[in-house]
Amino acid sequence: MRVLGVDPGLTRCGVGVVEGVAGRPLTMRGVGVVRTPADAELGLRLVAIEQGIEQWLDEYEPEVVAVERVFSQHNVRTVMGTAQASAVAMLCAARRGLTVALHTPSEVKAAVTGSGRADKAQVGAMVTRLLRLDAPPRPADAADALALAICHIWRAPAQNRLQQAAALHASKPASHHASKGRTA
């Protein structure tokens, strides 16, 4: 599975591509940051992020795009910019018919480090180790994007099994559920 991880942000939008399957060594295919000038008009910044993500999608052809789920912070302005960049990434993926997966920061930290409260340095160190890199990717947004991709690769098999079980349960006729355990 090839996954493009996106750590959304208006000024620095981290992007990273990881390939592999759960339980096997993973390979980094690319890592970087889509940057926009903080003083540019918002619409132009969003277009620049779209163009950057489209280039990554063209070059690496991922099967899935894993995006950090935006969560409420104290700074509403930061949350808005992150949410807008996140929406651009989801739009680019959806336009191509790609699966979009959202993972919370604590899910990503727990998957990569074993602790949902890990700091950026711990995430960077584990990404470096897991992908057998010489040094942690810089800036931290790039390492976070790789961590998102790793998280998705590791969590996808279990999520798929849960979705299949739920779909199977939902597809059974209601009378089948109601008659279980009854004798006539």
Side-chain angles (χ1 to χ4, degrees), residues 31 39 41 57 63 65 76 79-80 87-88 104 118 128 138 142 148-149 156 162-163 165 169 173 182 184:
V31 65
D39 59 351
E41 191 265 315
L57 292 170
E63 300 159 63
V65 176
V76 174
V79 171
M80 288 301 295
V88 169
T104 66
T128 302
R138 296 279 178 237
L148 274 152
L162 287 171
Q163 289 171 347
H169 179 75
R182 287 193 190 159

Side-chain angles (χ1 to χ4, degrees), residues 20-34:
V21 294
R24 304 269 172 146
L26 303 173
T27 304
M28 180 187 76
R29 295 290 176 210
V31 65
V33 178
V34 176

Side-chain angles (χ1 to χ4, degrees), residues 1 17 20 22 36 50 57 60 88 110 114 118 136 144 151 155 163:
M1 172 185 314
V17 179
T36 69
E50 177 198 27
L57 292 170
Y60 293 99
V88 169
D144 289 349
C151 173
R155 293 179 62 116
Q163 289 171 347

Side-chain angles (χ1 to χ4, degrees), residues 163-174 177:
Q163 289 171 347
Q164 288 168 353
L168 180 64
H169 179 75
S171 69
K172 291 186 178 177
H177 299 298

Side-chain angles (χ1 to χ4, degrees), residues 82-126:
T82 303
Q84 290 161 334
S86 176
V88 169
M90 290 186 278
L91 172 69
C92 290
R95 187 185 291 140
R96 292 170 183 244
L98 298 174
T99 299
V100 174
L102 300 175
H103 298 285
T104 66
S106 58
E107 284 174 342
V108 174
K109 291 173 185 178
V112 174
T113 70
S115 169
R117 295 173 161 250
D119 63 24
K120 292 230 180 242
Q122 291 169 305
V123 171
M126 284 306 295

Side-chain angles (χ1 to χ4, degrees), residues 34 46-56 88 92:
V34 176
L46 294 174
V47 168
I49 292 169
E50 177 198 27
Q51 290 169 342
I53 290 173
E54 289 289 349
Q55 287 174 349
W56 279 81
V88 169
C92 290

